[in-house]
Amino acid sequence: MTNTTPLKSMQNFALHYLPLMKTLGEQMQQHNSNIWQQCPFDDMFAAHTQWRICCNFILRGFAPLLDKHWPDDFADFENSDDSWQGLLQQWQKVSDYVMSLEVSRLTRKNDEEVCTDKAGFATVNLPPDVFINQYIIPNFCFHFSMLYLTAKQGGVSVSKGHFDGYHKYPANFSFEQE
């Protein structure tokens, strides 16, 4: 992404991964509507929470770049409905928000300014490009991976292509069985 501002990079990332996230969610729901309560491992968040965290990391990426405050300025995106309908409603609000941003017309953070967020019990203070590329994107991908893992463990037939949108494999393909 040469000559791309952090704000445009964030929008490009979100516009690529939000549809993949929705497709994965639809597949999970069609396979087993109870899958949203399953955890990838005992000490990890359930799938519905992994979904919400993915949505939240998209918004957290935009917040400091648009001089907004996470989570206060994004309270309207939350709901307490952990059913597929509730999760889809949150996803739709995030997706609509991302698509509505006219990045070229927005005032953006200067590259020397700092983006601040909470990382567990730590506070991160990073320049915008580092904030997006080394904090927001990896964290989104981690939680999206946990959602993908829950789907795989739950018997949903998904491949790497469902995760990144680029890989293509025949149905039921496995490197291990070749």
Side-chain angles (χ1 to χ4, degrees), residues 57 60 117-120 122 124 126 129-140:
F57 264 105
R60 287 167 75 174
D117 196 30
K118 293 294 281 178
V124 294
L126 302 166
D129 63 329
V130 175
F131 180 75
I132 295 304
N133 293 309
Q134 295 178 22
Y135 175 67
I136 293 296
I137 290 174
N139 274 280
F140 172 91

Side-chain angles (χ1 to χ4, degrees), residues 11-130:
Q11 187 180 44
N12 290 342
F13 174 80
L15 290 173
H16 177 79
Y17 276 95
L18 282 168
L20 295 171
M21 186 178 157
K22 182 181 180 190
T23 299
L24 178 61
E26 289 168 343
Q27 291 172 299
M28 291 170 70
Q29 178 66 21
Q30 288 171 1
H31 183 75
N32 176 2
S33 62
N34 293 324
I35 201 166
W36 298 108
Q37 306 309 315
Q38 295 176 13
C39 302
F41 294 98
D42 289 340
D43 63 343
M44 298 188 79
F45 292 121
H48 63 82
T49 303
Q50 299 290 354
W51 177 276
R52 292 193 181 286
I53 294 169
C54 286
C55 286
N56 291 344
F57 264 105
I58 296 293
L59 297 173
R60 287 167 75 174
F62 282 109
L65 300 175
L66 300 173
D67 290 323
K68 295 189 178 281
H69 301 282
W70 173 262
D72 300 339
D73 291 336
F74 296 94
D76 292 348
F77 291 83
E78 291 289 328
N79 68 52
S80 60
D81 182 357
D82 289 333
S83 72
W84 172 237
Q85 287 308 100
L87 298 173
L88 191 56
Q89 182 182 47
Q90 181 188 22
W91 178 92
Q92 191 63 59
K93 286 180 182 179
V94 171
S95 184
D96 289 348
Y97 179 77
V98 171
M99 287 191 289
S100 75
L101 294 174
E102 294 184 44
V103 172
S104 62
R105 294 182 176 196
L106 294 171
T107 304
R108 63 181 182 88
K109 269 205 183 292
N110 183 314
D111 290 338
E112 289 80 42
E113 292 185 61
V114 172
C115 296
T116 301
D117 196 30
K118 293 294 281 178
F121 294 100
T123 300
V124 294
N125 297 295
L126 302 166
D129 63 329
V130 175

